[in-house]
Amino acid sequence: MSAPAAVAVRTKPRITGLTTRLITVPLRRSWGVEAPENHVIVTEIHTDDGGAGHGFSWTPTIGPQAAKALLDYDIAPFVTGLPANPETVWDALWKRLHEAGGGGLTTIAMAGVDLALWDLQASRAHTSVTGLLGQRQASAEVYGSGVNLHYTLEELVAQTERWVAAGHQAVKIKVGKPDIREDAERVAAVRSVLGPDRKLMIDANQRWDLPTTLKALDVLAGFGLEWLEEPIRADDLWAYRRLRKHSPVPIALGENLHTIYRFRDFIEAEAVDIIQPNIIRVGGITPFRRIVELARTNSIRVMPHLLPELSGQLALTLAEPTLVEDVEEASFEQLGILAGPSPVRFSNSRVTLTNQPGLGFRFADAR
């Protein structure tokens, strides 16, 4: 009897290289003197079968050169030779970089690898990343958002009127003026434009401490707020646990939490109602999905933070409907840094796919 024929084992393509380039682009509407521009670190991964995956890392202010250096000098040599599987690469890379910090610049840099690998995997399957992960929503609601604390009252009202004219049923503004009476005046003016039925959220961007937050809520809670976002330093779990016990308004946070462990800590401490992971800051799609499942098992709502062209794609994979944040005139398409069409379309305050393969991001040459 002849020996059985050898069965060919199909192996995963292996990474042969990672390249990066930095794009710095001025914002069309400045986010203030501390954030007049955004930084995108474009990433491209190549594999031994000729494949290529395209991704990016991002930061509005701190560390674009540092994130690029991590990618070039620490991450690229480590991932070269690994199978091009996003989840196994992410876990190995997180362990490798942990000495430099479990989150922050390390996870921001890691996102560039993770996104590129998911782009590669979906492109190989001739589908979008949304399709690869499983699309559960045909569209998602978009809310108007603005980094507008430095706006005059007249400018803030005009922005709100633009959001209403665009059909937004929910908007978010910044608070945190030195005098809470000025915050109250601005929130009242925005509520007047919105009317009673549209959702209004406020974001204090860590400007307050616990006593100040409680005093502010005494003044602002009466305006029918959907949530109060990150009023206290994001590291202060003790304060958030106490705040949520006394707040008449749901508490949202997460843009400055970088690992699933920190999200777990806040959820288990019953310190948060809504989590807002930023897909880049947590390290990419792989950890974002894990954080979402953690939230679901604890009945916590998920509202992804910023980057609507990326967040919009992932929002369509979530089991429960969510809101996608769209800061006025700050999408990659509006900033003019895409070399091709956007992977998503915004219309009538909804986001839908344009059905491009992979993640659909191709960035223009640096300007």
Side-chain angles (χ1 to χ4, degrees), residues 234-365:
D235 310 86
D236 197 346
L237 176 58
W238 181 93
Y240 276 103
R241 185 165 58 239
R242 281 149 185 79
L243 172 62
R244 185 169 179 262
K245 286 180 180 179
H246 300 288
S247 175
V249 175
I251 300 301
L253 58 86
E255 67 178 273
N256 287 299
L257 302 183
H258 300 101
T259 70
I260 193 171
Y261 302 105
R262 289 302 284 158
F263 281 98
R264 178 201 62 191
D265 292 343
F266 275 79
I267 291 171
E268 288 191 350
E270 300 182 350
V272 63
D273 297 286
I274 300 160
I275 63 165
Q276 301 168 300
N278 181 291
I279 297 169
I280 298 298
R281 287 176 176 167
V282 300
I285 293 168
T286 294
F288 175 78
R289 295 176 72 211
R290 297 171 182 177
I291 291 165
V292 167
E293 288 309 306
L294 171 69
R296 286 192 68 204
T297 60
N298 287 275
S299 300
I300 298 291
R301 297 164 67 195
V302 178
M303 304 288 173
H305 173 256
L306 286 185
L307 301 169
E309 289 145 306
L310 175 61
S311 295
Q313 295 186 62
L314 273 294
L316 301 182
T317 71
L318 302 185
E320 290 87 18
T322 187
L323 299 175
V324 174
E325 181 177 15
D326 185 17
V327 174
E328 188 178 33
E329 295 190 2
S331 71
F332 290 159
E333 183 176 45
Q334 289 167 322
L335 294 178
I337 61 173
L338 294 181
S342 172
V344 298
R345 178 181 297 108
F346 299 99
S347 178
N348 299 320
S349 197
R350 308 289 296 184
V351 59
T352 55
L353 292 178
T354 56
N355 294 315
Q356 298 180 58
L359 276 174
F361 289 106
R362 296 296 184 271
F363 290 93
D365 293 336

Side-chain angles (χ1 to χ4, degrees), residues 149-229:
L149 193 62
H150 59 296
Y151 284 21
T152 66
L153 179 60
E154 291 73 20
E155 289 170 334
L156 179 62
V157 167
Q159 183 178 55
T160 307
E161 290 171 343
R162 290 193 295 272
W163 285 329
V164 170
H168 288 306
Q169 296 302 305
V171 307
K172 185 173 76 182
I173 67 168
K174 302 296 185 183
V175 293
K177 290 289 189 179
D179 188 334
I180 188 60
R181 289 173 295 184
E182 186 175 359
D183 279 328
E185 180 185 21
R186 292 163 69 88
V187 173
V190 169
R191 173 52 79 192
S192 178
V193 174
L194 294 177
D197 298 327
R198 293 183 179 86
K199 298 182 180 72
L200 172 59
M201 298 81 81
I202 59 172
D203 180 1
N205 279 123
Q206 308 179 92
R207 287 184 173 86
W208 298 331
D209 57 16
L210 179 58
T212 303
T213 303
L214 293 172
K215 291 177 183 176
L217 283 169
D218 286 342
V219 177
L220 301 177
F223 290 106
L225 303 176
E226 187 74 8
W227 72 66
L228 167 61
E229 184 170 328

